[in-house]
Amino acid sequence: MKDKLNSINVVAVGVSGRGKGMLRRLLPMEDVNIVGISDLYEDRMEEAAALVEEARGVKPVLKRDYRELLEMDGVDAVMTAASWTAHARICLDAMNAGKYVGTEVGGATSIEECWELVRTSERTGMPCMMLENCCYGRPEMAVLNMISKGMFGELIHAEGGYRHDLRDEVCMGRENRHYRLANYLNRTGDVYPTHELGPIAKYLGINRGNRMVSLSSMASKARGAAAWVAQHKPDDEYLKGREFALGDIVVTNIKCAHGEVITLYHDTTLPRPYSRGNLLQGTKGIWMEDKQGVYFDGVSPKPHEWESIEKYYKRYDHPLWKKYIREGVKEGHGGMDHLVLRGFVNAVKKQIQTPIDVYDTASWMAITTLSEDSVNMGGLPVAIPDFTNGRWIEREPSPDTPFNLDRVCRAAYL
Amino acid sequence: MKDKLNSINVVAVGVSGRGKGMLRRLLPMEDVNIVGISDLYEDRMEEAAALVEEARGVKPVLKRDYRELLEMDGVDAVMTAASWTAHARICLDAMNAGKYVGTEVGGATSIEECWELVRTSERTGMPCMMLENCCYGRPEMAVLNMISKGMFGELIHAEGGYRHDLRDEVCMGRENRHYRLANYLNRTGDVYPTHELGPIAKYLGINRGNRMVSLSSMASKARGAAAWVAQHKPDDEYLKGREFALGDIVVTNIKCAHGEVITLYHDTTLPRPYSRGNLLQGTKGIWMEDKQGVYFDGVSPKPHEWESIEKYYKRYDHPLWKKYIREGVKEGHGGMDHLVLRGFVNAVKKQIQTPIDVYDTASWMAITTLSEDSVNMGGLPVAIPDFTNGRWIEREPSPDTPFNLDRVCRAAYL
């Protein structure tokens, strides 16, 4: 399919650390022009503009209120890496202005917000893509490929987590302006579920032949952040003696329409090495990321013994990754940051649906607010809305995405 | 303390594979006499009796109805490895006959059953010990020792599982008489939680300064066992085409009085290598069994990087294990089977409370029936009874057990 647009004009909203990283990865793309930048902080805006000017020789338009940028001529897309609680409003304004929108990850604060994203995307015809980079991770995509070859058999269970000790980022004090800090002080629940949930949702055909139906969340006490502050920032006026609302560990069990159970962990305020904690089990095999191991019934050489996943990663590299490696992997979380941005940019250029669509975006974001509800009601199971309004039953895997899992998610259920 | 009994007379009830294994480990103990054996199957009883006769030259009394053995003179203790659903009744009859009772692991089928164990033990003064071998596992006890030294800081979260592919044991057909089969066909929930929960309960000071207050369980669909039968026993008259009730993966979140969250997995009908899936997190450190790794804040050499647990196992071996290694480790799940039996036998000889008491036994067994209730109500959280009737608040760690964790579980809460 030929691109309808040779190049696209993008407005970037929110240019903190993550937003600037996004710009750095977009600027080498010759088919992407950064025409406008918005941030609530002047210094961030100027820094980001300097990056663009240095790379392209043209200074983008800067506005503290991003809505003014939406009125500019020729803007094709908005990409936002603003704070979590601002994502939905920015997405809505962008779609209402007739723009594609790509949003950095983060959960919703209400179910109504998720529905509004869906309604607005449906009404305007504008796609809304969560830029979930882990959907494009090399291990995750190789596993997706193995699933499509039937190696795991029927999928039964998946685990994953955002298990990342962020104490020395988040708890550095208010002047550090970390988007997580205010959330950690006030909310408890899985505030950041999508790095693991996005890929799992693709494995399980969520919103295309399957859906998430209910969840129960429990949160531990919150001790890690306050203990870190007491030890490392004992004189911080803002944080001294404050209680954090966010439980150190939040565990969420999600039930799917076809009987699979997904278990998610949010774990960012205790000492630990980084892990996405991926584990996948089916009737024929298992993958465990922390073990770097797999086991396949009748395939693995020794019964009941792990084998290294390395040779499988090589043999089952996803076609997208094979091509990408041939062309030379770009930086950014091992290359996946580049791929997710290209997924979005290519959809804008072709003027087609994004590979992660508004139903994905809404249903993944919803997990956060529902997890908070469940935690606050002592682990009570809560229903997960069907944002497709029944269309998930018949929705085909999109032919335009690398997540086309025809063999598994359709064959199993129809 | 001097032993009150130089040797003890034991009746063994239930001598299938596990029961015979128990006998094999008891027979070399010169201070233990096996005076009676009971089983519903004649062949099993005769096989077990032959083991005893070969080792000791005396044939024990055999009775299909174990209650007849309780009337014999001089019986000090009953040890049972009968089927799960028979454990409680055997324990009750033994205590009512004035005998110590040690029971192999397995969950309860009702909360009333658990209360009856507690009431009967309190009324008769007879201890009731779940023979949870994993409480005596070398890694588990080393970790317990590290906790007592404060290495994990305040404990926040623990995970564990019985993750053991049992398809080729359980699904071999009715004639195999596996105690799990009828349960798997009829029940869903965490039917076997204690291998991981027992040690975790000791870490967290459950029933001694802390307690489990509620749980929520979710079960996946049940596919693994039936798929195995279809492939390996397609002509089995009893199993052909049968549906199993037990979800392949059951995940249970337990909330504790002091805000810790415990996550348990039951996972026995899908292909996978064995694991107890232990993970423990505190404000200062983490242990992950599958990774064979630990990380301690300010102690581990590289920030955010696992280090091997090997040197810690050596440095922090539990005193009980140090002594045991000096004396020569006995076989049986790496030695822990011997230690748990000695824990019971020594308590009987000294005529003191068992190191795992009736409150432990009841509260651990209760998780099974409560998990079933929760699964059957869609993950609804259910309350976990306080089997100590409030005494957990003031109960001291027992000085007579290797699980004395004074520093951690008392200092944190009182």
Side-chain angles (χ1 to χ4, degrees), chain A residues 154-157 159 163-168 214-224 227-228 231-232 248-249 251-255 258-261 263 265 267 270-275 279 281-286 288-292 294-297 304-306 377-381 413, chain B residues 154-157 159 163-168 214-224 227-228 231-232 248-249 251-255 258-261 263 265 267 270-275 279 281-286 288-292 294-297 304-306 377-381 413:
Chain A
E154 183 176 350
L155 298 185
I156 304 291
H157 174 63
E159 295 167 32
R163 313 195 81 157
H164 190 181
D165 175 3
L166 294 173
R167 293 171 301 162
D168 59 7
S214 67
L215 69 77
S216 161
S217 272
M218 275 197 200
S220 77
K221 56 187 161 187
R223 291 288 189 276
W228 192 93
Q231 191 181 349
H232 296 277
D248 289 320
I249 305 287
V251 194
T252 302
N253 290 325
I254 301 173
K255 193 79 187 262
H258 287 284
E260 303 89 348
V261 168
T263 303
Y265 294 89
D267 167 9
L270 295 175
R272 65 161 301 134
Y274 178 86
S275 172
L279 181 142
Q281 293 186 262
T283 51
K284 292 185 181 170
I286 181 171
M288 185 178 192
E289 185 189 18
D290 279 319
K291 196 80 188 175
Q292 286 291 299
V294 288
Y295 179 78
F296 297 110
D297 230 8
H304 299 270
E305 276 191 34
W306 293 105
M377 295 188 293
L380 200 74
Y413 309 136
Chain B
E154 183 176 351
L155 298 185
I156 304 292
H157 174 63
E159 295 167 31
R163 313 195 82 157
H164 190 183
D165 175 4
L166 294 174
R167 293 171 301 162
D168 60 7
S214 67
L215 68 77
S216 161
S217 272
M218 275 198 199
S220 76
K221 56 187 161 188
R223 291 288 189 277
W228 192 93
Q231 191 181 348
H232 297 277
D248 289 321
I249 306 287
V251 194
T252 303
N253 290 325
I254 301 173
K255 193 80 188 260
H258 287 285
E260 303 89 348
V261 168
T263 303
Y265 294 89
D267 166 8
L270 296 174
R272 65 159 300 135
Y274 179 86
S275 172
L279 181 143
Q281 292 185 264
T283 51
K284 293 186 180 170
I286 181 172
M288 185 178 192
E289 185 189 19
D290 278 319
K291 195 80 188 175
Q292 286 291 299
V294 288
Y295 179 78
F296 297 109
D297 231 9
H304 299 270
E305 275 190 35
W306 293 105
M377 296 188 291
L380 200 75
Y413 309 136

